[in-house]
Amino acid sequence: MRRSLAAALLSCVPAVALAQGHDAAYTQKIKEYTTDPMFLTELVDHLPASAKVPSPEKVLGYVVGTPERLTYAKDVHRYFRELAKASPRVRVSTMGTTEEGREQILVVMSDEANLARLDRLKQITARLGDPRGLSEAEAKTLVAEGRPVYWATGAMHSPETGSPEMLMEMGYRLAVEETPFIQAIRRNSIVLFTPVLEVDGRERMVDIYRYRKENPSRTPPSLLYWGKYVAHDNNRDGLGLALKQSQNVIKTALEWHPTVIHDLHESVPFLYTSTGTGPYNAWLDPIVVDEWHLLAYHEIEEMTKRGVPGVWTHGFYDGWAPNYMFYAANGHNAIGRFYETFGNGGADTKDRTVRGQSTRTWFRPNPPLPQVKWSLRNNVNLQQSALLLALKFVADNKDRFLNNFYLKSRRSIEKPKKEGPAAYVIPGDEPRAGGISDLVAALQIQGIEAHRMSAAVKVKEKTKDDKGTDVEKEVALPAGSYVIRLDQPYSRLADMLLDTQWYNVTDPRPYDDTGWTLGPLHDVKTVRVTDPSILKAAMTKLADGWRAPGSVTGSGTVFAVDNRAEGQVASLRFRLKDASFEAAEEGFEAGGRKFGPGALIVTGADRASVEQSAKDLSVAVVAVDAAPKVKSHKLSLPRVALVHDWLNTQNEGWWRIAFDRYAVPYDYVSVHVLRNTQDLRGHWDVIVYPPTGNASIQRQIAGIQTADAIPWTPSEKYPNLGGPDKTDDMRGGLGFEGLANLRRFAEGGGVLVAAASSALLPVRTGMVEAVDVAEARGLMARGSVLRASIVDRASPIAYGYGETLAVYFNQAPVFDAGPAVALGGAQRFAEIFGPPTQGRVSGRGGPKDPDIPQGRPYVAPPEPPKGPPASIAEIPEEILDFVRNQLPPEDRLPRVVARFAKKDDLWVSGMLDKGEELADKPAVIDCPVGKGHVVLFANNPMWRWQTHGSHALVFNTLLNWDNLDAGRPVSRKP
Ligand SMILES: [Zn+2]
């Protein structure tokens, strides 16, 4: 009886489940390391056994999620290579290396049949991703034959440590587990893993974690550097694609056409699956927004059914900016998404308190627990369970997701016929060849096609006349214009990068930048064309890696080059470092061409190197026999230092990228060097102080203040610490010595450049005169593109610029500058000087008539002040007598080079409210200090490899460092 019952039961169980046992010891550890069974699901509560494929424990010596064990990226990679050696269902390839030379890998997993026809499957996704000329019937056949590609990426953010551990175990599970669930994933999809995206930061993080555990009595270093350039912002490089890790991702995405890219992050409890609060990116196909929700709610439902608390969506992140790495998917008709799971920042098991997110609300009906003991294994369990559920869902619905991918691609191609526009055009008469090349490169690296027109065309565009009525007008586009057609697969990304953004301030608070329009940020004119006839114009596609041709025309040994405020001007100067360069202070004519102020006159260079440079840098050079007769000054090569502190290197890395990309050399120095070097002037001519983190001035001066020394340097035990700079002791900041040294540096003729947050330092410490921080309580301009007017066109800092320039500005600082500031601000000035008139007093006559007191002859009053004086000369004599002692000498007053535009002209793209608080305020200020200068930027001219149009503000300052006073309205006394 018993035997027959057992036999009957056995016959109901699928044979495969019987064939495969569990790795009992490993399974036991999973349970032990999980703090509560509610943080476990049936998908991950065991590890299948395999006789020939090694589990992570067999290779590494420990179970995934073991307390106090983190795995270096190199060992994670070693594990996957062992796995690939043993399993016919796993392959490993290299995606490329980072700036520091570490490898990023791509793990490919599917069943044997799919891997055997992988090239064919890749062809299918590529064809569905570019369905130009594909019939619906053909697409249907391809969808049926194809497999969706789901790419999960781990450890982009180095302190978020769980995902590489989890992905190793999940890779093993996908390779060996013989349940129908896992078999369906293998059969119906291709799974890609990049277990560690930020490989440089991962190695440093594991070193730091080990340092923490092995030196419990010492203060551990913080993770000051992740990769060579940026830290947490590495996932905000999806738009600029400046980092090699991002370039490797986009290259891989364009090769594989993944259906989903899924980043694994850690922050909020217990598992947030992305959708966002909105406002959502307005250029995406609504299908993808639905897919975000579809996948998120599938995971939430399935995890909730399994009794796991705290899996939710919506209330974290917005969904607006396309600068995230997963826009390699969203921007390319695929699905970009992410998790935030609960991480402990290492591998410790800790008691954690959950505050805000433990409250129940509509998008979190099953919230995280307010108090919890949390382990690395819990984190692994939740990530892995939800990701498996997502993979299974996509595999089960493979035709639906592949068909959506095809539809989104097709609808992108149909964009000009439906919602429009038809194209963006860079007019062919735009002279900034370097700027255009940079903008085209920014599009091409994303897989966006660019064309060039061989003949002029006229298109009809609707605009509004003065009265707001729609009128149609003809727009002439010259031959040689560049066309970004929007009947191509990535038209939506092209549109979102080139269109302007409107961010309503009443929308939820933005998670990141609100504006990013690339044309204005690159200072390149782009025309939005809705007339589809543009697509019929004669044009040829530009090859990948295209650059506008440079040229050297004419003969002679003197070379004239126009300054068009491009980074390439600086490249040229430093390339031909032994040649003699002059900058013209006025316009001139040479070789039959007109040159503007700031044009370079080069002598002592051989023609072959000038020709090579012209070609590489897209510059037009005119050779003439004799130097033009024009007022000019020498451009002597500056010795440049670029500063970082020991608190946060996040923002200065973007500056190093811009300097490195244009091959502008610099010494990379810490604030300690400034503190310890009395004679900075003896070493450098220009000190560039990029924006710092959000540390207070006090913290910047004092730095880290702990009892024991904190090293940031490689050692035998911790080989990955240190780099790109290193020190035996991170403690201490700039110090008052550093401030005094910087001041002495400027007094001695040096130039200090400071921007955004770092510009507060010279202002608030009194290093400069007559500049102050203005109050802007209502201003809302979070990561916006705003217009600045060049108001002092004779300043070398403005060489090559037009009348206005779009700049990146993020909320602060707002400056005031001028003599009224020296007197204690506009309000104080008004007290001394009398308030600006608010119209006439009540009395006889009309609003413009004089007021005539009775019983005495009429005497006209003085002209009322229009506002604070711009120079000392504008201060009336009788007031000046009274306040002279409070004013710096006229030649010490700041020179405002650029101002934010008037209120109605200020907005270009992104959020702007209470713009009047920023309108007309100085954006670029050249402050004389002793024989030198402090140059302040309220905007950030070097931001995320997106603000190419502003780069020359910095580079002009560098090139003209010892002649910044050229064209100064009030000359400086020697
Ligand atoms: Zn993160």
Side-chain angles (χ1 to χ4, degrees), residues 157 160 232 265-266 340:
H157 284 163
E160 303 162 16
H232 189 275
H265 288 270
E266 290 164 32
E340 299 286 342

Side-chain angles (χ1 to χ4, degrees), residues 204-347:
R204 293 196 168 99
M205 180 65 206
V206 180
D207 266 6
I208 285 181
Y209 180 69
R210 285 186 41 232
Y211 185 104
R212 236 153 66 187
K213 303 311 289 182
E214 291 159 10
N215 303 277
S217 61
R218 300 187 60 183
T219 310
S222 58
L223 191 60
L224 185 72
Y225 294 94
W226 298 14
K228 178 179 175 185
Y229 289 116
V230 295
H232 189 275
D233 252 13
N234 62 4
N235 77 329
R236 306 300 205 280
D237 189 37
L239 210 159
L241 298 174
L243 305 172
K244 284 182 93 178
Q245 61 167 280
S246 317
Q247 292 163 10
N248 293 336
V249 167
I250 195 75
K251 202 176 64 192
T252 306
L254 294 174
E255 181 193 332
W256 282 85
H257 303 89
T259 322
V260 183
I261 296 180
H262 186 151
D263 289 340
L264 298 164
H265 288 270
E266 290 164 32
S267 61
V268 292
F270 292 132
L271 193 156
Y272 169 83
T273 173
S274 63
T275 50
T277 59
Y280 285 160
N281 186 293
W283 295 263
L284 291 173
D285 192 315
I287 290 173
V288 75
V289 174
D290 292 341
E291 287 172 325
W292 294 345
H293 287 86
L294 180 68
L295 283 163
Y297 276 102
H298 176 74
E299 290 156 344
I300 294 167
E301 182 191 353
E302 291 298 321
M303 294 291 278
T304 303
K305 281 198 303 206
R306 286 164 172 79
V308 180
V311 180
W312 55 288
T313 188
H314 178 78
F316 177 89
Y317 159 84
D318 52 18
W320 174 248
N323 52 19
Y324 297 92
M325 196 63 259
F326 52 76
Y327 265 70
N330 285 326
H332 298 84
N333 303 317
I335 304 166
R337 58 195 313 255
F338 65 94
Y339 288 161
E340 299 286 342
T341 57
F342 207 32
N344 283 348

